[in-house]
């Protein structure tokens, strides 16, 4: 079975408009494709672990896994391409996301789709 993994952006979620539009389109036009859209942590170490676990569970060797990454999800898609050799399409990818950590230090950040709040720490720029 083919699988498409949609990776949302920073402080976004599987409930984002782009993620939902992708899900609906696939359901209508390519129902044979398994659609996954994990809820990604805003913290880089957690997201890396989460994505590594997800991709290693799937049969990436068979070339049956593809990615769509939007914004920070594009950064993570690029990481997965380089690490596992999967194919990806990126939409307005974040190229240097670690640069924004200093701008966000000390601010309380809220997820656009939930009431979850986060605080960036200096070590988040180390990724």
């Amino acid at each position: 079975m083919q699988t498409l993994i949609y990776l949302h952006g920073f402080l976004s979620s599987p409930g984002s408009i782009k993620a939902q539009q992708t899900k609906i389109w696939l359901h209508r036009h390519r129902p044979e494709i398994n659609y996954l859209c994990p809820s990604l942590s805003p913290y880089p170490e957690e997201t890396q672990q989460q994505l590594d676990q997800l991709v290693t569970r799937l049969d990436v060797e068979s070339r049956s896994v593809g990615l769509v990454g939007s914004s920070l999800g594009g950064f993570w898609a690029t990481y997965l391409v380089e690490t596992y050799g999967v194919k990806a399409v990126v939409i307005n990818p974040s190229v240097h996301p670690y640069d924004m950590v200093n701008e966000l230090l000390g601010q309380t950040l809220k997820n656009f789709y939930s009431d979850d709040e986060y605080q960036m720490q200096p070590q988040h720029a180390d990724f």
Side-chain angles (χ1 to χ4, degrees), residues 3 14-15 21-22 24-25 27 45 49 51 71 89 91 96 123:
T3 299
Q21 287 175 334
T22 303
I24 290 166
W25 189 93
H27 179 72
E45 300 85 5
Q49 290 175 357
L51 292 175
S71 191
V89 172
I91 304 165
H96 301 285
Q123 68 268 21

Side-chain angles (χ1 to χ4, degrees), residues 94-105:
S94 178
V95 180
H96 301 285
Y98 34 81
D99 289 345
M100 75 176 178
V101 172
N102 289 333
E103 297 172 26
L104 300 174
L105 285 177

Side-chain angles (χ1 to χ4, degrees), residues 35-117:
Y35 175 78
L36 301 175
C37 185
S39 181
L40 302 176
S41 169
Y43 302 112
E45 300 85 5
E46 291 176 15
T47 299
Q48 181 183 12
Q49 290 175 357
Q50 180 182 11
L51 292 175
D52 286 338
Q53 289 172 0
L54 174 62
V55 171
T56 56
R57 276 194 344 234
L58 300 170
D59 184 14
V60 297
E61 301 280 324
S62 71
R63 305 275 185 228
S64 65
V65 175
L67 308 168
V68 173
S70 175
S71 191
L72 188 58
F75 171 83
W76 288 113
T78 302
Y79 161 76
L80 293 172
V81 166
E82 293 174 359
T83 305
Y84 298 99
V86 295
K87 302 268 186 199
V89 172
V90 293
I91 304 165
N92 193 27
S94 178
V95 180
H96 301 285
Y98 34 81
D99 289 345
M100 75 176 178
V101 172
N102 289 333
E103 297 172 26
L104 300 174
L105 285 177
Q107 295 181 38
T108 299
L109 308 170
K110 190 176 257 190
N111 185 293
F112 298 119
Y113 296 89
S114 71
D115 289 330
D116 294 341
E117 293 183 349

